[in-house]
Amino acid sequence: EAGVTQFPSHSVIEKGQTVTLRCDPISGHDNLYWYRRVMGKEIKFLLHFVKESKQDESGMPNNRFLAERTGGTYSTLKVQPAELEDSGVYFCASSQDRIRGGYNEQFFGPGTRLTVL
Amino acid sequence: AQSVTQPDIHITVSEGASLELRCNYSYGATPYLFWYVQSPGQGLQLLLKYFSGDTLVQGIKGFEAEFKRSQSSFNLRKPSVHWSDAAEYFCAVGARLAAGNKLTFGGGTRVLVKP
């Protein structure tokens, strides 16, 4: 079974440009999460999809970030326009439907390293 | 709000020696606790988790962790380190009551293994 995949693995863009990151979750996983690690900081939650709906987007830093999950399969995270402080590693994770009162393991992708110059 | 602290940014250990990575959390109740490892070029891999019950949990790759409620700690240990354990390790908390089960991570500890 394929794991969570992310594309591209690296992206280098200039300030003001647009970048779109893609995440393909494990097949059948309804939950999809985006996290980000800025250099030297901890990994921080950005948002959570359940199927195609945004369940929690409390971690999105500002309106330059737009996440979509059309059809409830893969997800994209667009940064427009990119700023220097957006540089970091963007992780995607997926999990199955949440067990009532329980917790489903989140499976992480390898991340996309974004560098904004 | 929940938070996680990993006091050690870097740890260097000799191959064959024991390893202990510290993790302290702040949360209003008993949280879900996790340790993840990230090897170079890889995603985060779950080493072990604590939900309830026995406070000493066993994980993959010979790792174990102990939940100590009184100290709000969840330290990770391995009795004998292998060169392949060189990686970055992350402690994380998952809120029991949050609808989305999002994770809050510590800053990570990078482990270097000396021959």
Side-chain angles (χ1 to χ4, degrees), chain A residues 59-98:
Chain A
M60 294 288 264
N62 51 61
N63 59 9
R64 295 185 294 102
F65 289 75
L66 175 64
E68 294 180 321
R69 194 183 181 194
T70 307
T73 55
Y74 71 91
S75 174
T76 58
L77 180 64
K78 179 189 287 188
V79 185
Q80 179 183 28
E83 298 289 344
L84 299 180
E85 63 264 25
D86 301 331
S87 295
V89 180
Y90 290 76
F91 292 100
C92 176
S94 71
S95 70
Q96 294 178 318
D97 285 346
R98 188 162 68 100

Side-chain angles (χ1 to χ4, degrees), chain A residues 31 33 35 37 40-45 48 55-56 58-59 89 91 98-99 101-111, chain B residues 32 34 36 38 41-46 49 51 88 90 93-96 98-108 110:
Chain A
N31 295 287
Y33 304 81
Y35 294 85
R37 189 183 192 196
K41 303 284 189 179
E42 67 273 19
I43 300 168
K44 285 198 171 180
F45 167 81
H48 169 214
Q55 180 77 20
D56 180 356
S58 61
V89 180
F91 292 100
R98 188 162 68 100
I99 300 168
Y103 203 106
N104 279 326
E105 177 182 348
Q106 294 183 29
F107 294 86
F108 281 79
Chain B
Y32 297 117
F34 306 84
Y36 284 87
Q38 186 182 21
Q42 305 295 315
L44 294 166
Q45 181 183 22
L46 181 66
K49 58 183 181 283
F51 288 176
E88 192 159 19
F90 297 91
V93 161
R96 286 182 178 265
N101 288 348
K102 64 185 178 187
L103 295 170
T104 299
F105 286 88
R110 187 172 296 278

